[in-house]
Amino acid sequence: MIKELAEIDIKPGHERDFEAAAAVAKDLFLASKGCLAFRLHRSMEQPSRYRMFVEWETIEDHMIEFRNSDAFLEWRRLCGPFFQNPPRVEHLTVIVEGKSHDEDAEAMAAE
């Protein structure tokens, strides 16, 4: 599994518009070949900065299949107008992972 990390700076004052567009665009990612998960996080310290995490089965699913698809064009049409500059994208692999053994966390994981 590959994790895509995109750091996205939004034009100040357009954060809510971007969030609404990203909520729609999420389904474009999730319907794409090899996409396993999508998450969008907003920085508390820099409210116009977001980090998007997308899990892909392979790097090719992202870089070839998705990037050459109509879904990618639609993502850029929906969200691109709010970008301050082009997103900075990296691909990551998990090296170390841990989870809490909290009963509430286990219950949420079971749902």
Side-chain angles (χ1 to χ4, degrees):
M1 173 180 40
I2 300 297
K3 293 186 184 250
E4 169 194 359
L5 166 62
E7 186 176 86
I8 306 169
D9 291 319
I10 298 303
K11 296 172 188 171
H14 293 276
E15 295 85 0
R16 296 291 176 224
D17 295 329
F18 169 70
E19 290 173 14
V24 172
K26 164 187 63 93
D27 293 332
L28 298 168
F29 283 86
L30 294 173
S32 296
K33 179 183 181 289
C35 184
L36 304 171
F38 176 98
R39 291 174 192 85
L40 183 66
H41 299 254
R42 184 176 184 182
S43 173
M44 294 176 71
E45 290 78 16
Q46 297 181 46
S48 294
R49 178 164 290 163
Y50 293 79
R51 288 193 177 77
M52 182 178 75
F53 296 89
V54 184
E55 293 179 15
W56 299 96
E57 288 183 15
T58 68
I59 197 168
E60 291 80 14
D61 287 337
H62 175 229
M63 295 302 295
I64 296 170
E65 298 292 332
F66 182 71
R67 285 279 182 107
N68 292 306
S69 71
D70 290 339
F72 177 75
L73 295 175
E74 184 65 4
W75 145 251
R76 292 306 286 256
R77 186 191 71 73
L78 287 167
C79 295
F82 307 113
F83 296 168
Q84 180 73 30
N85 43 47
R88 291 164 300 286
V89 177
E90 295 181 74
H91 295 95
L92 312 168
T93 56
V94 176
I95 303 302
V96 177
E97 186 171 33
K99 295 186 180 184
S100 171
H101 292 288
D102 182 310
E103 288 181 353
D104 291 334
E106 288 179 24
M108 287 176 58
E111 292 177 354

